[in-house]
Amino acid sequence: MRSVAAIAKRELVAYFATPVAYVFIIIFLAVSAALTFYVGGFFERRQAALDTFFTFHPWLFLFLIPAVGMRLWAEERKTGTIELLTTMPVTTTAAVIGKFLAAWAFIAAALALTAPMWLTVNVLGEPDNGVILASYVGSLLMAGAFLAITSCMSALTRNQVVAFILGATVCFLFTMSGVELVLETVRAIAPAALVDAVASLSFLSHFSTITKGVIDLRDLVFFVSMIVFWLFATTIVVNARKGL
Amino acid sequence: MIVMDGLSKHFGPVRAVDGLTLAVDKGEVLGFLGPNGAGKTTTMRMLAGFLEPSGGRAAICGFDVATDSIAAKRRLGYLPEGAPLYGDMTCAAFLAFVAEIRGYRGAARRQRLAEIVDTVALGEVLERPIDTLSKGYKRRVGLAQAMLHDPPVLILDEPTDGLDPNQKHHVRELIRGMGKEKAIIVSTHILEEVESVCTRAVVIAQGRIAADGTAESLLARLPRHNAVRLVVPAGAADAAAMVLGEVASPQAVERLPAADGLVTFYVLAHEGAAPLAAVAHGLHAHSIEVDSLGVERGRLDDVFRALTAQEETAPEGASPEGASPEGAGSGHA
């Protein structure tokens, strides 16, 4: 799909045309390092592993990914360029995928810039590089799922702040749905089957199995289907609301 | 090449476009006129595939805009209202993006981009971010974007809005130049534009066609179209009235009250033709002093006002909540 590539390329260049890209990368690198060393106690644990680094990713992504994705559609609607984009010979699906891929590639680049972390543990000891690789894959997939949710929320509004808050809230619900506190509440009002369903939607539990080095097909399928579902939802929302 | 058949769009209870049936052929430049909120933009948005029709159908080069939208969009160049653009891109990057979307590759793309930049005279600002350009240049980038793939059908929503007279002239020349081998719809508020660019004018009011014809045929609707306008000094007025009574029927002569010592007469056209020769001959034969004598063409503004006057008394289409169900269209239009 050439139009997907053209849209993705335009979108990616647009990220670097504004300060968003640089601010995001700097904050992401600084905060992820700070959390790993100070909160996670990277040195005190005296282990050559990056699990303290990855543990914080869901919480970092919770607000950083909505910050990256909030402009995807809200900005197009605010400036009216959505009229330009949707009257070109491009399907909405191609536009949704193109934009998503651009933002995802950008996040992947930010993740790749954390490579010094990985080099450090390799210098200091002999980590299990298979686990680290799996964790990176898991982290990228989880970021994709957060991003797909934000993309859908961004299509709902022309206001980027609203898109950010909606995105962060929905991402938060999906992150927290495996936590006992939430399940307790659900258990009080819903049958057991629903409790299991809610628990199984938790980003946290799917991500933590991957970071333990267990690449279970079910976890991969979970994140991929999350991405597909939310992008599909984005397509529907864009089509339904583009003229409003 | 552009066909609309009972095309309608409702926003809730508001009928923005109400059953438009219209066809535009190759070689036609159709001027789309109407007050704000009459449904011009809504109609154009449906043709461009941005809004889905609530009823009826529309087709571009035989491809239905709703069911075959990609094929229709390929054959269409569209300048949206206000010419929205990706402001943080440079002109060159933006046009390259459009060319890529439109399927141009490699050398063909470079060549086409050079041609279009030349056509709309964008050479000087190619490397500047679009946000920093003047309104005139932005509009030209919008036009370049619409014309880039040399489409057989062009839909331009207020292409000269906000341009200075020189730029307006340039854009009109462009449209006129393209008009011979394309089907073009241009919406405008500027009625002189209709006379200078369009081969046909359609006036819409409240989402319906109020008039359809050439600029000339619209002018013919005015009672004083092709009337002879005679101005004489007040002292010669009665003599002149007598002469006019000889050359035309009494009902065809209008006498306006004297102003600044001058009296104005109108002799209405008989079967479309101005009775100029007869009037001039009569005046000359009686040696009546004349201040001025000429044929009144009338102004399109007057036709426009007559056709859409009803509209102006309705709540004007500024806010959707202010519009009654039969009212002035909607804020989206």
Side-chain angles (χ1 to χ4, degrees):
Chain A
M1 289 284 266
R2 279 166 161 178
S3 45
V4 173
I7 289 170
K9 200 169 87 187
R10 195 209 73 76
E11 199 71 25
L12 199 54
V13 171
Y15 270 111
F16 289 95
T18 60
V20 175
Y22 305 101
V23 170
F24 174 84
I25 287 178
I26 291 167
I27 301 267
F28 175 69
L29 294 179
V31 176
S32 64
L35 287 174
T36 309
F37 290 113
Y38 296 111
V39 184
F42 178 75
F43 289 119
E44 288 79 357
R45 290 173 48 137
R46 311 192 65 82
Q47 282 177 7
L50 280 182
D51 54 341
T52 49
F53 168 67
F54 286 110
T55 310
F56 294 107
H57 278 197
W59 308 105
L60 258 180
F61 286 168
L62 198 53
F63 59 96
L64 283 181
I65 303 286
V68 172
M70 64 183 186
R71 54 172 289 280
L72 282 177
W73 290 99
E75 190 180 43
E76 294 266 358
R77 291 188 44 202
K78 182 92 181 173
T79 59
T81 46
I82 192 166
E83 191 169 355
L84 203 61
L85 185 64
T86 54
T87 54
M88 285 183 180
V90 178
T91 60
T92 309
T93 311
V96 167
I97 293 174
K99 280 171 164 285
F100 171 80
L101 287 180
W104 205 21
F106 169 70
I107 293 163
L111 263 182
L113 287 175
T114 62
M117 268 328 209
W118 170 70
L119 291 175
T120 308
V121 288
N122 270 285
V123 169
L124 292 176
E126 286 179 0
D128 186 341
N129 281 322
V131 172
I132 293 178
L133 185 67
S135 303
Y136 267 115
V137 170
S139 180
L140 187 59
L141 280 173
M142 184 176 58
F146 277 138
L147 185 65
I149 290 173
T150 310
S151 159
C152 186
M153 297 303 131
S154 176
L156 281 170
T157 173
R158 60 177 62 227
N159 186 317
Q160 294 193 31
V161 176
V162 173
F164 174 82
I165 293 171
L166 285 176
T169 307
V170 177
C171 288
F172 181 71
L173 292 177
F174 274 98
T175 309
M176 293 298 286
S177 68
V179 174
E180 203 48 42
L181 181 76
V182 176
L183 291 180
E184 234 8 88
T185 320
V186 179
R187 208 170 279 137
I189 53 169
L194 194 65
V195 177
D196 289 346
V198 170
S200 72
L201 285 176
S202 167
F203 282 24
L204 223 45
S205 41
H206 285 282
F207 181 60
S208 66
T209 42
I210 297 179
T211 53
K212 288 190 187 101
V214 188
I215 294 202
D216 188 335
L217 193 62
R218 277 176 301 180
D219 295 320
L220 301 185
V221 168
F222 169 76
F223 283 122
V224 171
S225 47
M226 268 290 173
I227 292 171
V228 172
F229 170 79
W230 285 102
L231 290 185
F232 180 65
T234 309
T235 311
I236 291 172
V237 173
V238 169
N239 275 336
R241 297 185 60 91
K242 63 186 176 185
L244 301 179
Chain B
M1 300 223 279
I2 308 170
V3 179
M4 293 168 241
D5 184 14
L7 193 64
S8 303
K9 181 72 190 177
H10 305 173
F11 295 105
V14 179
R15 280 176 290 180
V17 176
D18 195 6
L20 279 193
T21 299
L22 200 61
V24 185
D25 290 326
K26 182 175 166 177
E28 274 192 302
V29 181
L30 182 122
F32 215 34
L33 309 172
N36 287 332
K40 301 189 297 284
T41 295
T42 305
T43 305
M44 293 175 130
R45 283 180 167 174
M46 284 192 281
L47 291 175
F50 182 59
L51 292 177
E52 275 179 28
S54 316
R57 58 181 291 279
I60 306 287
C61 299
F63 296 96
D64 191 284
V65 296
T67 58
D68 224 343
S69 68
I70 297 291
K73 286 170 184 173
R74 281 210 182 93
R75 287 156 184 84
L76 170 74
Y78 176 52
L79 176 72
E81 185 184 35
L85 300 163
Y86 291 111
D88 46 20
M89 298 178 93
T90 64
C91 280
F94 174 69
L95 292 177
F97 163 66
V98 176
E100 206 170 324
I101 290 272
R102 294 289 185 184
Y104 286 91
R105 294 288 178 277
R109 188 171 97 174
R110 275 193 299 279
Q111 193 199 340
R112 186 62 198 143
L113 284 174
E115 280 170 19
I116 200 75
V117 164
D118 193 47
T119 311
V120 298
L122 279 174
E124 301 163 30
V125 298
L126 265 187
E127 294 307 326
R128 281 179 44 191
I130 292 172
D131 268 343
T132 67
L133 299 180
S134 69
K135 209 170 180 184
Y137 271 121
K138 280 184 187 163
R139 198 51 58 101
R140 268 138 80 176
V141 176
L143 277 170
Q145 163 278 126
M147 291 157 49
L148 195 131
H149 54 301
D150 197 22
V153 173
L154 272 173
I155 292 179
L156 310 173
D157 201 347
E158 303 196 353
T160 60
D161 181 45
L163 302 186
D164 70 34
N166 291 333
Q167 295 166 336
K168 276 189 179 136
H169 179 77
H170 179 74
V171 169
R172 283 177 200 161
E173 289 291 304
L174 265 179
I175 295 172
R176 211 177 5 225
M178 292 185 299
K180 293 172 192 86
E181 62 262 31
K182 295 186 196 300
I184 303 180
I185 297 185
V186 180
S187 82
T188 181
H189 283 304
I190 308 160
L191 296 164
E192 58 180 279
E193 201 156 286
V194 176
E195 289 184 286
S196 72
V197 181
C198 301
T199 58
R200 184 176 159 200
V202 166
V203 180
I204 71 167
Q206 294 169 340
R208 290 185 208 150
I209 296 179
D212 180 0
T214 59
E216 190 61 33
S217 76
L218 291 186
L219 286 174
R221 290 166 169 251
L222 285 173
R224 284 182 188 160
H225 178 65
N226 270 351
V228 170
R229 182 170 181 274
L230 168 68
V231 182
V232 297
D238 291 333
M242 201 186 72
V243 172
L244 295 179
E246 287 169 16
V247 300
S249 63
Q251 303 94 305
V253 179
E254 275 182 61
R255 179 177 176 166
L256 271 51
D260 299 331
L262 296 171
V263 174
T264 303
F265 291 94
Y266 283 104
V267 187
L268 301 185
H270 183 62
E271 286 167 2
L276 182 64
V279 171
H281 184 79
L283 293 170
H284 184 72
H286 292 81
S287 309
I288 293 170
E289 193 185 341
V290 172
D291 190 73
S292 78
L293 176 66
V295 176
E296 182 87 351
R297 284 199 68 227
R299 297 185 320 132
L300 270 178
D301 289 49
D302 298 330
V303 186
F304 182 82
R305 276 219 307 281
L307 286 169
T308 60
Q310 201 188 346
E311 180 83 3
E312 277 161 22
T313 55
E316 250 296 78
S319 61
E321 59 272 19
S324 65
E326 286 79 35
S330 79
H332 308 286

